[in-house]
Amino acid sequence: MNLDEILSMDQPYIDINIPAMDRRTTAFRAALGKYTTQNQQEISKRRHQYVHDVEGLRAERSRLEQDIQRHRLEEIALAKQLEEERQERKKAEDMVVHSNRQLKSLKDRFGSTEEEAKKSEQALKILKKSKEKEKSQLEKQAFQVARDVLELERLLGISVRGAGNDVLTIVFTQLDARTPEREFSVVIDLSMQEYTGTSSAFPPSVCRRIYGRNKVQPLRNATKLAKQRVYRIDKAC
C-alpha cells in the first residue's frame, strides 16, 4: 500500500477488502481458538502431570520418612546391642584378667606343690629303700629263726601247731624210749578264762613225773594272776 498515492487522490480512501479481512479474521480467530484450546489442554495435562508428580513425590517422601524412622529405630537398637556387647566384652576381659591371675596363682601353687612332691618322692624313695633293707634283714632273720626253730623242735622233740581259733596243738616225740618217733599231743584251748587241755596217752614214766611235779608244786597255786590260766596237763594222763 502506497500512502502518497492515496493522499494524492481527490477522495482518498483505503480499500480494506472487508471480505478478505473477514476471512483472515475468522482464520485468525480459529487459529487463536485452536491455539488457546491446545494451550488449555497442555496446561490441563501439565497440571494433571504436576499433581501426579506431587502425589508421587509425597508418597516417596512418606516412604523415605518411614525408611528414615525405621533406620533410626534400627540404629537405636544397634547402638543398644553395641553397648551390651561392649559391656559383655568388658566383663569377658575382666574374667580373662581374673582367670589369668588365678592361673598364675595356680602355677605358683603347682610349682611349690611340684617341689614338695619332688621332696616327698625323694623322701619316699629313701624310706622305701630303708624299708626294703629292713625287710631284707627281717627276712634273713625270719629265715634264720625258722631254721633255728626247726632245729630246736628236732632236738627237743616238740612242735606247736595251730588247730583252729584260739586252739593250739603241742606235739611231743622222743618221750617213749622204745619208739622215740611216737607222737604225743596236747590240745590247749585258749578261748576260755581257764586254759584246758586234752592229750593222747603219755608213757607212764612221763605221767608219774608230771604228777609228782604237780603234787610238789601245783600249777593252780602258782600266782593269783595265773589263777584262771592253769595248765591241766595232769588230767590228760
Side-chain angles (χ1 to χ4, degrees), residues 19-73:
M21 183 177 292
D22 289 337
R23 288 193 301 272
R24 290 178 181 175
T25 301
T26 301
F28 176 74
R29 287 178 178 177
L32 182 59
K34 184 178 180 181
Y35 177 75
T36 301
T37 301
Q38 290 178 352
N39 285 338
Q40 289 178 350
Q41 291 176 353
E42 184 66 22
I43 290 171
S44 178
K45 180 180 178 181
R46 291 184 180 183
R47 183 183 292 112
H48 290 303
Q49 184 65 35
Y50 173 77
V51 172
H52 178 72
D53 293 342
V54 169
E55 290 178 354
L57 290 174
R58 287 178 180 174
E60 183 68 18
R61 180 180 178 181
S62 177
R63 186 182 64 80
L64 291 175
E65 288 177 352
Q66 291 177 359
D67 290 342
I68 291 171
Q69 185 67 20
R70 179 171 56 82
H71 287 305
R72 284 179 180 175
L73 294 176

Side-chain angles (χ1 to χ4, degrees), residues 109-123:
R109 292 181 182 178
F110 179 74
S112 61
T113 305
E114 188 176 6
E115 187 67 23
E116 292 178 359
K118 289 182 179 179
K119 292 181 180 179
S120 300
E121 186 177 359
Q122 292 177 357

Side-chain angles (χ1 to χ4, degrees), residues 9 23 28 63 77 91 98 111-112 138 155 157 170 204 236:
M9 293 175 62
R23 288 193 301 272
F28 176 74
R63 186 182 64 80
K91 290 181 181 179
H98 182 66
S112 61
L138 290 175
L155 294 175
I170 303 176

Side-chain angles (χ1 to χ4, degrees), residues 79-226:
K80 184 177 180 181
Q81 183 179 357
L82 290 174
E83 180 64 20
E84 291 177 355
E85 291 179 355
R86 188 181 68 81
Q87 294 294 334
E88 291 179 358
R89 181 178 179 181
K90 186 175 181 302
K91 290 181 181 179
E93 290 176 352
D94 293 340
M95 290 179 64
V96 169
V97 173
H98 182 66
S99 298
N100 289 333
R101 290 176 182 174
Q102 289 183 340
L103 180 61
K104 186 177 181 301
S105 177
L106 290 174
K107 285 183 178 179
D108 296 339
R109 292 181 182 178
F110 179 74
S112 61
T113 305
E114 188 176 6
E115 187 67 23
E116 292 178 359
K118 289 182 179 179
K119 292 181 180 179
S120 300
E121 186 177 359
Q122 292 177 357
L124 183 61
K125 288 181 179 179
I126 295 173
L127 181 61
K128 185 177 180 181
K129 187 175 181 181
S130 175
K131 292 297 181 181
E132 289 178 351
K133 185 176 180 181
E134 291 179 2
K135 181 180 178 182
S136 177
Q137 292 177 354
L138 290 175
E139 288 177 350
K140 289 180 180 179
Q141 293 177 1
F143 180 74
Q144 185 63 37
V145 168
R147 290 181 59 185
D148 294 342
V149 168
L150 291 175
E151 184 65 18
L152 287 174
E153 288 180 350
R154 186 184 66 81
L155 294 175
L156 296 176
I158 183 174
S159 64
V160 180
R161 304 169 186 173
N165 293 332
D166 297 330
V167 178
L168 295 178
T169 300
I170 303 176
V171 180
F172 299 91
T173 58
Q174 301 181 9
L175 296 180
D176 191 349
R178 292 174 297 180
T179 55
E181 68 276 5
R182 181 182 176 186
E183 292 185 353
F184 301 90
S185 62
V186 176
V187 179
I188 300 177
D189 187 359
L190 304 178
S191 62
M192 302 176 66
Q193 292 183 353
E194 181 177 297
Y195 293 161
T196 60
T198 60
S199 68
S200 60
F202 283 89
S205 60
V206 175
C207 290
R208 285 195 297 272
R209 285 199 297 271
I210 294 174
Y211 179 75
R213 183 174 178 81
N214 288 341
K215 186 176 181 180
V216 175
Q217 187 179 359
L219 291 176
R220 187 174 300 175
N221 298 322
T223 61
K224 290 183 179 181
L225 294 176

